[in-house]
Amino acid sequence: MESFSELIKTRRSMRKFTEEELTQEQVVTLMKTALMAPTSKRSNAWQFIVVDDKETLKKLSFCKEQASQFIADAALAVVVTADPLASDVWIEDASIASIYLQLQAEDMGLGSCWVQLRERFTASGMSSNEYVHEVLDMPLQLQALSIIAIGHKGMERKPFNEDNLQWEKIHLNKYGGK
C-alpha cells in the first residue's frame, strides 16, 4: 500500500478465497505483526493458534451457527486467544491484535475476515469459545476472541466510499456540540 489512508479504504471483509496457499514468508510476516500488537502494560496476554490444516479449518467453520462457513476455504485461520488472568483488558488487547492481522493481510494483497467467537454459539447451542477449545485442545485459562480467516482474494470488493461517511456521528467538545 502507498499510504495508511489507502489501506483503510481498501480493507474490506473477504469471505471468498482462492485455493492458493500462503507462503511460509507470508505466514511469518503476519505472525510478526500480531506479536507487535500493543497491549496494556505490555502484558502480552494474547496467544495465536495458526491453522492451515484443511480438516481443522473445516471443523473451525462450524464454530458459529452462521457466518463462519468460509473458514473452510481460507488458506489460513489465526485463532486469537488471550488469558484473562494475565490482563483485565484481554478483550481489547486481542481485538487490537486481530485488526493488526487484518491490516497486514490487506497490505500484502491478501483478504481476511474477522469471525467473532466471544458471546457466540454453534448451531447446537455450545459456546463458540468452548467449541474452539475442543477442536484445538486449548488450555482452559485461554479465551478465544476471534478467528481471522486469511487467504488470496476470491473476489473483488470496491474500496470504501467516502461519500457514505456518517459525519453526524462526530461530535465536537460535547455530545451534539457544534
Side-chain angles (χ1 to χ4, degrees):
M1 286 291 140
E2 291 183 25
S3 72
F4 186 72
S5 295
E6 182 183 341
L7 180 67
I8 295 300
K9 283 184 216 173
T10 57
R11 198 227 58 85
R12 305 292 303 272
S13 291
M14 181 60 55
R15 293 175 182 86
K16 292 187 184 206
F17 303 102
T18 70
E19 292 183 13
E20 186 178 352
E21 299 295 324
L22 300 184
T23 66
Q24 183 177 1
E25 182 180 303
Q26 288 173 314
V27 175
V28 168
T29 298
L30 288 161
M31 298 323 302
K32 279 182 181 178
T33 299
L35 291 170
M36 287 189 263
T39 61
S40 175
K41 301 175 189 169
R42 206 61 198 151
S43 63
N44 299 350
W46 31 240
Q47 293 195 41
F48 308 96
I49 303 169
V50 180
V51 178
D52 64 0
D53 174 72
K54 289 298 181 189
E55 186 176 316
T56 307
L57 289 168
K58 177 82 170 161
K59 287 178 186 175
L60 288 175
S61 75
F62 295 103
C63 68
K64 289 180 21 175
E65 184 173 6
Q66 55 186 348
S68 60
Q69 293 72 27
F70 58 88
I71 294 171
D73 299 324
L76 187 77
V78 180
V79 182
V80 181
T81 72
D83 182 352
L85 298 177
S87 175
D88 63 334
V89 291
W90 69 271
I91 295 169
E92 292 83 351
D93 289 349
S95 295
I96 294 167
S98 296
I99 196 63
Y100 262 46
L101 280 167
Q102 288 196 279
L103 292 171
Q104 181 63 65
E106 183 64 37
D107 189 55
M108 297 165 67
L110 301 170
S112 71
C113 190
W114 176 313
V115 177
Q116 178 68 21
L117 298 174
R118 196 177 73 79
E119 303 296 328
R120 298 298 183 264
F121 298 89
T122 66
S124 67
M126 174 188 273
S127 84
S128 296
N129 179 56
E130 185 179 343
Y131 178 82
V132 170
H133 266 81
E134 286 185 12
V135 170
L136 300 177
D137 196 26
M138 288 172 48
L140 264 175
Q141 78 272 16
L142 293 181
Q143 296 294 306
L145 176 84
S146 65
I147 297 175
I148 307 301
I150 302 171
H152 292 274
K153 297 176 182 182
M155 63 180 289
E156 288 295 318
R157 301 242 10 227
K158 292 180 182 176
F160 193 86
N161 184 346
E162 288 188 51
D163 294 339
N164 297 329
L165 293 176
Q166 297 176 307
W167 288 102
E168 68 275 10
K169 305 271 182 168
I170 305 294
H171 306 277
L172 182 60
N173 294 321
K174 63 179 182 176
Y175 189 86
K178 297 182 181 187

